[in-house]
Each structure stands twice: as structure tokens, then as C-alpha cells.
């Protein structure tokens, strides 16, 4: 019976690791293809990882609370039926396969035959091909040593030139390029919140071309963690380092992080690690707040008539699996408003000086869950009726709270709705969900006395808050957009027009 290592498959774009929330199998359990074997919390959501092989679990190599990376071995499985492809050992031949060659679906399969007896110091279960792969990496490292030494010499020369330039011009002029990895080291005494020094000693192995790209991007390669074989640094690793820096403290205009005081001096404290979702939310919103010039427009909609219609047709909508909520109707209203004002469904591309207009109406809805804020996307809102939208919204919210959302289900929105009316509040200033340019906030409706030319009457008023990117949207356009939304709530037949 062939033995296979099941490795963590690709989880989505820019997702390279996650925390193990729960292991769903144990040694001796039988598993089938597509059966969930692991519950994993990533930067975006908590997901179940399905197996791509069937058989009997021989060994579980991860445990709850452990961080695992894409490509890391999760389980060892004795496959049923012996139908796993076998790799013939042909030393030096063109068809030789490495022991950890990744098969389709992200499943790593071991070579089943050996051409030579294993080395005396190797473990009996350790495949020969892994040793070949390590020897190959060592040979490549030796071949690159001279190039790396030259690169390090060039880096030292560049560092000396930069130090001389910084001494001659201690203040950088506006518009100049900042070296995000070396700048904090240039003046440690003047920067109390400087980034930590790079680790001493040689960097992990990286090709000269990768080192050159790192220098061009202003990255100290010694701070980059390699994801390649034997820890080799790739171009993707360097780019990921830059993205994380831009999304965190190094976002344009962001203040330098400062050291917290020792709170334990004043009383008992407790430290808890941030969940992946909370950490990603912090990074994303911090970046959005720093790169987008936010303005928030407030208005109120008289939903007295709408509330009567909602009570009249609510039961009919519930039969279709949804609820006729304010958010469900707001989806349809927002799709109509976007069709009238397409700049609200655009994104700005500063590098090319262009606006990207989306010709689709996928609208995101913020959902409060015990894992944090998740934002599923409702597709093709303009092509659906309110009853269908109410059902789609109910399903998406349920999946979000159960941690069952996929990455695709949280991607591609053109604008976001966040409704806090169920909790309370009279108004708020939501943060735009970058790369979108606008977000609609809804607060709790309440009865207010409204003068109707003859007398004051009690009317149910719904507070609306529209935050927008002032680089793309002018204040007058935002006011007209929000007024159109308010009037659509007040006169629902406007949607038919």
C-alpha cells in the first residue's frame, strides 16, 4: 500500500500560511477525497482544508495552534487501492522525480523505489531523492558564492555612499525615493521608533538577480524570509516583504510605530496574540486610512412608507429563504445609484494616472462574526430582484458566521455596505475598503418629528453615512449620490425607473 504525504495546498492569492484551529482526523482514521481534514485560519477567513487523497491516516504532522505554510506536510496517508503514481528511480536520468514532487491538487508523493541503499546515517523512512535535492541546493549555493560576495561588496559600497549622502544632506527632499529597509538604520539616534536591525551574518541563499531586485526596491535582503528550497529567497518573497511593509507601518504617510509603555507597572495585564483575521484587518484598514483622503457625507431617509411595505411583503420573502431587511433593499438601491454615478464603482491607479471603471455591480456587505469582520460579495446585484438578493445575503451572512467563506466569495466588490443599525448609533464614519473608493454606512432608524408644511408628524428616519475617496469623488457628487439613495428608500418605485 503506497504511502503519500498530503501537503497544504494553495489557499488563494497572496495567502502563504495559516494557523491550525482544529485537526479533524487522527492516526488510524479512514479519509476520502475532498473530506475536510484541517480547519485553518488565514489572513482572510477560517476555512476547511479538504484532502486530495483517500486512504488511512498513518501520521498527523501538525497540531492545534501551530502555524503551517503552503507546501508543508500535514498528513501521511496509506492510500487505498495502490493507485498512486509511482516514480521510478533513474539516477541521473531525465525522468528522475524528486521525492517531494508536487502532484496536481497540491499533494506531494514519495518515490516508491530506490536505486541505491540509503546512507547509514539516514533514517529508514527518509527517501533517497531528498538527499539528492539537498546536495543539489548545496552545489547551487557554492556556485553562487562568488556572485553573492560581489553583491555584498556592492551593497557595502552603496551603504557607504548613502551614509555620506545622508551626512551631507540630513534632510530628505520631498518626492525623493526612500529606502524602506536602510533609512531607519541611517540615523538610529534620531529615530526612536526605528525598525529593528537586520540579523547579523550572511543572508539566506538568493540568486544575484533576486538581490538586484531587492536593492532596486530598497529592501535589506537579510530581513526577507525565503520560501524556496533550503530557505532560498525568491522574487515573490521580496515582493511580499514590500507589500507587507506598505500595508503596515510603512504605508505612505503613516507615522512610525512607537514602543508601548510597560503597562504592568500600573497593574495586572494579559497579552493575547492577534488572530490572522484581526491582524489582516488592522493592516488593511491602516493602509486604507493612510492612502485615501477620506470625507464622509451624512443624510437621512424617511423610511416610514418603506417600513410599511417591508412588513407587508416580509413573509413572502421569508418563504424564499431570505429576509426583507434594510441591507437587502440597500443592495438594489446602491446598484441603481452606481449605474447613475459610475465613478463610485471605480478604482484609482496613481502609477498610471488612470481611473479603472468596473462595468459590473458586485457589492460587498460587512458581516460581524465572532472571528472578526468579514466582507462577502454579492454578485450581479443589478441583475437580481430584491427577493433573490435577500436570499443571497442570508446565505452569505450564514457562511461568514460559520467560517465557510472562500476567498473568491470575498473578492471583486466595487463598493461596500456596512449596517450597524441592528446594534445602534445615530451616525458614523466608515473607512473605505481599498481599492474601492466609497462605502455606505447605515445606522439605526428612529422616529423624529418632521414638519410637512402644515404640522409636525412622526416619521421613521434612517441615518446614512457615505465615506468616499476625495481624489476620485467631489463633495457635490457625493451629496447628490447619497440624496438619490435616500430618495430611493423613500420612494421604492424609483428602482423600477
Amino acid at each position: 500500500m503506497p504511502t503519500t504525504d498530503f501537503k497544504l495546498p494553495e489557499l488563494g492569492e497572496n495567502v502563504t500560511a495559516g494557523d491550525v484551529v482544529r485537526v479533524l482526523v487522527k492516526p488510524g482514521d479512514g479519509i476520502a477525497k475532498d473530506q475536510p481534514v484541517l480547519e485553518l485560519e488565514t489572513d482572510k477567513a477560517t476555512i476547511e482544508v479538504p484532502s486530495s487523497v483517500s486512504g488511512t491516516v498513518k501520521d498527523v504532522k501538525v497540531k492545534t495552534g501551530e502555524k503551517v505554510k503552503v507546501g508543508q506536510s500535514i498528513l501521511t496517508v496509506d492510500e487505498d487501492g495502490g493507485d498512486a503514481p509511482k516514480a521510478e528511480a533513474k539516477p541521473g536520468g531525465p525522468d528522475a522525480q524528486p521525492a517531494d514532487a508536487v502532484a496536481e491538487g497540491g499533494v506531494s508523493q514519495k518515490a516508491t523505489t530506490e536505486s541505491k541503499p540509503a546512507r547509514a546515517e539516514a533514517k529508514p523512512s527518509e527517501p533517497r531523492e531528498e538527499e539528492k535535492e539537498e546536495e543539489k541546493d548545496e552545489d547551487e549555493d557554492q556556485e553562487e558564492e562568488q556572485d553573492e560576495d560581489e553583491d555584498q561588496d556592492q551593497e557595502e559600497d552603496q551603504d557607504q555612499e548613502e551614509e555620506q549622502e545622508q551626512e551631507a544632506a540630513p534632510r530628505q527632499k520631498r518626492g525623493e525615493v526612500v529606502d524602506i529597509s536602510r533609512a531607519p538604520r541611517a540615523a538610529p539616534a534620531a529615530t526612536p521608533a526605528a525598525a529593528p536591525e537586520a540579523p547579523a551574518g550572511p543572508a539566506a541563499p538568493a540568486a544575484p538577480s533576486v538581490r538586484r531586485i531587492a536593492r532596486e526596491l530598497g529592501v535589506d535582503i537579510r530581513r526577507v524570509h525565503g520560501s524556496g528550497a533550503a530557505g532560498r529567497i525568491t522574487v515573490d518573497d521580496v515582493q511580499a516583504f514590500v507589500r507587507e511593509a506598505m500595508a503596515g507601518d510603512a504605508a505612505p504617510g503613516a507615522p512610525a510605530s512607537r514602543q508601548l509603555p510597560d503597562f504592568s507597572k500600573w497593574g495586572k495585564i494579559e497579552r493575547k496574540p492577534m488572530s490572522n483575521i484581526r491582524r489582516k484587518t488592522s493592516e488593511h484598514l491602516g493602509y486604507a486610512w493612510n492612502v485615501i483622503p477620506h470625507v464622509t457625507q451624512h443624510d437621512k431617509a424617511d423610511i416610514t412608507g418603506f417600513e410599511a411595505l417591508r412588513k407587508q411583503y416580509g413573509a413572502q420573502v421569508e418563504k424564499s429563504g431570505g429576509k426583507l431587511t434594510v441591507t437587502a433593499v440597500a443592495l438594489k438601491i446602491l446598484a441603481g445609484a452606481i449605474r447613475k454615478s459610475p465613478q463610485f464603482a471605480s478604482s484609482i491607479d496613481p502609477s498610471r494616472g488612470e481611473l479603472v471603471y468596473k462595468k459590473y455591480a458586485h457589492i460587498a456587505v460587512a458581516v460581524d462574526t465572532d472571528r472578526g469582520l468579514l466582507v462577502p460579495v454579492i454578485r450581479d446585484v443589478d441583475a437580481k430582484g430584491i427577493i433573490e438578493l435577500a436570499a443571497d445575503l442570508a446565505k452569505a451572512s450564514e457562511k461568514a458566521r460559520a467560517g465557510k467563506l472562500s476567498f473568491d466569495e470575498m473578492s471583486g466588490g466595487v463598493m461596500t455596505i456596512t449596517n450597524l443599525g441592528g446594534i445602534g448609533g445615530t451616525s458614523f464614519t466608515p473607512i473605505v475598503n481599498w481599492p474601492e473608493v466609497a462605502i455606505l454606512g447605515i445606522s439605526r432608524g428612529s422616529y423624529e418629528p418632521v414638519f410637512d408644511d402644515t404640522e409636525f408628524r412622526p416619521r421613521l428616519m434612517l441615518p446614512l453615512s457615505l465615506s468616499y475617496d476625495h481624489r476620485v469623488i467631489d463633495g457635490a457628487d457625493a451629496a447628490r449620490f447619497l440624496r438619490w439613495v435616500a430618495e430611493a428608500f423613500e420612494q421604492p418605485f424609483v428602482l423600477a425607473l
Side-chain angles (χ1 to χ4, degrees), residues 117 359 384 401:
K359 302 299 184 179
K384 297 177 180 177
R401 296 187 178 98

Side-chain angles (χ1 to χ4, degrees), residues 272-392:
K272 292 183 178 180
M274 296 173 69
S275 68
N276 281 338
I277 293 176
R278 175 56 56 195
R279 178 176 55 81
K280 192 64 177 180
T281 299
S282 173
E283 293 174 356
H284 181 73
L285 292 181
Y287 179 78
W289 182 255
N290 281 290
V291 300
I292 297 175
H294 280 69
V295 180
T296 303
Q297 175 76 21
H298 300 284
D299 206 334
K300 290 183 179 180
D302 184 344
I303 60 170
T304 309
F306 163 78
E307 185 64 15
L309 290 173
R310 195 169 73 88
K311 291 179 179 179
Q312 180 179 353
Y313 295 102
Q316 179 180 344
V317 176
E318 288 182 2
K319 292 180 182 179
S320 300
K323 290 185 178 181
L324 190 55
T325 62
V326 170
T327 304
V329 176
L331 281 166
K332 191 64 178 177
I333 291 176
L334 209 58
I338 288 172
R339 184 168 59 248
K340 184 177 178 63
S341 304
Q343 70 269 35
F344 284 82
S346 67
S347 289
I348 188 171
D349 187 351
S351 63
R352 301 178 63 176
E354 296 176 347
L355 284 175
V356 181
Y357 289 88
K358 296 110 174 185
K359 302 299 184 179
Y360 46 86
H362 307 333
I363 298 177
V365 179
V367 179
D368 180 33
T369 75
D370 57 1
R371 296 175 173 86
L373 188 67
L374 298 178
V375 191
V377 176
I378 310 300
R379 308 285 177 188
D380 301 316
V381 175
D382 56 336
K384 297 177 180 177
I386 292 178
I387 294 179
E388 186 178 0
L389 289 174
D392 287 352

Side-chain angles (χ1 to χ4, degrees), residues 407-485:
F407 301 114
D408 288 341
E409 290 172 319
M410 293 188 289
S411 304
V414 301
M415 190 172 170
T416 298
I417 297 174
T418 174
N419 188 348
L420 299 180
I423 301 173
T426 57
S427 65
F428 64 109
T429 55
I431 297 178
V432 176
N433 184 23
W434 182 91
E436 299 168 12
V437 295
I439 180 172
L440 177 66
I442 303 175
S443 298
R444 172 175 289 181
S446 61
Y447 280 94
E448 299 179 9
V450 178
F451 191 72
D452 64 355
D453 295 333
T454 59
E455 60 181 340
F456 283 98
R457 298 180 184 275
R459 307 297 292 180
L460 184 58
M461 305 300 292
L462 182 68
L464 303 172
S465 303
L466 177 71
S467 290
Y468 56 93
D469 188 335
H470 210 351
R471 297 174 299 176
V472 181
I473 299 167
D474 296 332
D477 290 335
R480 281 189 287 265
F481 181 91
L482 192 56
R483 186 88 292 269
W484 194 96
V485 171

Side-chain angles (χ1 to χ4, degrees), residues 47-48 86 91 112 166 176 178 200 254 328 343 411 444 454 473:
I47 60 174
E48 290 181 344
K86 298 182 180 181
T112 57
Q166 289 164 354
E176 292 182 349
V178 178
Q343 70 269 35
S411 304
R444 172 175 289 181
T454 59
I473 299 167

